Amino acid sequence: MPSSDLIDHPLITTFGRLVETHCRLERRLGAAMQTEAGLPHLWFEVLIRLARAERGQLSMSALADQIALTTSGVTRLIDRIQAAGYVERCPCLRDRRIAYAAITDAGHDILARAAVGHVRNLRASFAKFSEDDLAVLDDLLDRLRSTT
């Protein structure tokens, strides 16, 4: 039986709050994006990362690292997004084992439409936070992300 000291450890509570907050935001913001733009939130995350990447493309492994999926999971996800016309696969000229996902013009279009509602919904979600609060939160999340 675990020690009650460990069960009540403040870090376990902090992590639980982080997980719960993420799940609630994902549910609410994801549902809104699906309803408003017809785009699953995970697809949005893929498209925004591709749009921000050099030449609008990332390798499957780099994309997997950024969205916390396995490489095979990303490959299946890219298959579905490609079928919708939002991404395309590009071969690596130096190494045939590497494939890139690249955002298409249709991907840029749906991303731009989805971003309008997403920013509006994020503003509502963070309405009680000041600009300073958001800067501190960004800094803390960056520091946490760099340790993992």
Side-chain angles (χ1 to χ4, degrees):
M1 187 159 130
S3 163
S4 64
D5 290 344
L6 292 179
I7 291 172
D8 294 329
H9 195 285
L11 284 174
I12 291 176
T13 301
T14 298
F15 183 72
R17 286 181 177 138
L18 183 62
V19 170
E20 182 180 347
T21 301
H22 171 265
C23 289
R24 286 181 181 186
L25 284 170
E26 178 66 35
R27 240 187 336 265
R28 185 174 55 240
L29 296 172
M33 183 173 293
Q34 183 69 50
T35 299
E36 295 171 11
L39 189 69
H41 185 246
L42 186 55
W43 290 27
F44 177 87
E45 290 298 323
V46 167
L47 293 174
I48 200 152
R49 282 166 170 72
L50 293 175
R52 290 175 174 172
E54 185 177 335
R55 297 188 319 267
Q57 66 182 28
L58 289 168
S59 70
M60 298 295 178
S61 61
L63 196 50
D65 286 344
Q66 290 186 25
I67 60 171
L69 287 178
T70 63
T71 303
S72 63
V74 165
T75 299
R76 289 189 300 275
L77 178 62
I78 291 299
D79 286 342
R80 293 190 303 274
I81 302 172
Q82 183 176 17
Y86 301 143
V87 299
E88 60 186 2
R89 280 191 170 77
C90 301
C92 176
L93 300 177
R94 295 181 316 264
D95 187 340
R96 293 182 347 176
R97 297 170 295 176
I98 298 174
Y100 292 98
I103 190 167
T104 63
D105 289 342
H108 280 290
D109 291 345
I110 191 73
L111 179 61
R113 287 195 309 271
V116 171
H118 195 46
V119 168
R120 183 185 65 250
N121 292 323
L122 285 168
R123 281 188 179 132
S125 295
F126 289 97
K128 294 181 180 179
F129 291 78
S130 70
E131 292 298 319
D132 288 343
D133 290 338
L134 292 174
V136 168
L137 180 59
D138 280 342
D139 180 60
L140 292 171
L141 291 171
D142 283 344
R143 287 170 43 199
L144 182 61
R145 181 173 57 183
S146 72
T147 66
T148 58

